[in-house]
């Protein structure tokens, strides 16, 4: 991750990610509930990239358009 420019990577298994500073980007490789909770970890202007399923627009819109969601498909 550091090779991609990540200053401080965090693992989702960290006990309380909500206590950390908001993140610029979250990479969701699990989906479902993990995607839902990931939206709350983003700073305004942040981006959630999801691999396993489409972006949940209800969660994205609940952030009042201040974050972006991207689905990355691997064919």
């Amino acid at each position: 991750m550091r090779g991609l420019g990540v200053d401080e990577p965090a693992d989702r298994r960290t006990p309380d990610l909500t206590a950390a500073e908001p993140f610029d980007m979250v990479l969701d490789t699990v989906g479902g509930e993990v995607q839902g909770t990931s939206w709350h970890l983003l700073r305004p202007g942040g981006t959630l990239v999801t691999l396993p399923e489409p972006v949940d627009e209800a969660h994205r819109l609940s952030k009042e358009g201040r974050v972006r969601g991207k689905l990355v498909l691997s064919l």
Side-chain angles (χ1 to χ4, degrees), residues 11 59 64-65:
D11 188 297
H59 282 291
E64 301 173 357

Side-chain angles (χ1 to χ4, degrees), residues 10-23 41:
D11 188 297
R12 71 178 182 88
R13 294 172 291 187
T14 300
D16 189 10
L17 285 174
T18 59
E21 292 290 320
F23 294 93
L41 301 174

Side-chain angles (χ1 to χ4, degrees), residues 3-45:
L4 296 172
V6 175
D7 293 326
E8 295 182 38
D11 188 297
R12 71 178 182 88
R13 294 172 291 187
T14 300
D16 189 10
L17 285 174
T18 59
E21 292 290 320
F23 294 93
D24 295 321
M25 195 270 297
V26 172
L27 176 61
D28 169 26
T29 61
V30 178
E33 186 177 323
V34 171
Q35 184 185 139
T37 58
S38 294
W39 292 106
H40 303 290
L41 301 174
L42 293 168
R43 67 163 179 79

